[in-house]
């Protein structure tokens, strides 16, 4: 079965731009930010960071968390403002209650 690359959607494009904008605002090079991420335990090359910023590489949740920490911001600061509300059909409490029920049996 052939696989096709996953497209990066609007939230991913926003996040890629936000990472670059925040990095530049802090006066960091891609090498410096990648080195910070690596020092924090998430090995990252400047090439991987460059590809992420240009939206040629997906930014997974682990990358997002360490990049945000390396930039000194919360991960949500790199996400679009409405990202958490865009697909809201249930309240957070409903989801949490259901998840707890599944985990606890």
């Amino acid at each position: 079965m052939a696989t096709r690359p996953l497209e990066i959607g609007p939230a991913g494009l926003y996040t890629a731009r936000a990472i670059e904008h925040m990095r530049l605002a802090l006066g960091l090079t891609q090498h410096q930010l990648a080195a910070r991420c690596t020092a924090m335990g998430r090995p990252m090359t400047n090439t991987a960071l460059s590809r992420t910023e240009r939206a040629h590489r997906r930014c997974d949740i682990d990358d997002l968390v360490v990049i945000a920490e390396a930039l000194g911001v919360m991960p949500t600061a790199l996400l679009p403002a409405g990202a958490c509300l865009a697909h809201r059909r249930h309240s957070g409490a409903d989801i949490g209650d259901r998840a707890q029920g599944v985990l606890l049996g």
Side-chain angles (χ1 to χ4, degrees), residues 5-105:
L6 296 173
E7 292 181 27
I8 298 176
L13 294 173
Y14 179 95
T15 298
R17 290 186 192 112
I19 291 168
E20 180 182 29
H21 177 78
M22 183 66 66
R23 177 182 61 76
L24 293 173
L26 293 172
L28 296 172
T29 66
Q30 289 176 339
H31 287 278
Q32 290 169 324
L33 182 55
R36 283 186 181 191
C37 293
T38 299
M40 297 169 99
R42 181 79 175 166
M44 185 173 298
T45 64
N46 67 298
T47 301
L49 182 60
S50 173
R51 290 177 48 81
T52 298
E53 287 184 352
R54 291 187 333 243
H56 292 167
R57 175 181 178 269
R58 289 180 148 292
C59 182
D60 73 18
I61 191 69
D62 294 316
D63 288 343
L64 178 68
V65 170
V66 79
I67 290 170
E69 190 173 337
L71 292 170
V73 299
M74 296 294 295
T76 54
L78 301 174
L79 299 173
C84 297
L85 304 175
H87 301 288
R88 208 167 122 179
R89 293 196 301 198
H90 303 285
S91 74
D94 292 341
I95 294 169
D97 290 346
R98 282 188 286 140
Q100 186 175 16
V102 169
L103 292 173
L104 299 177

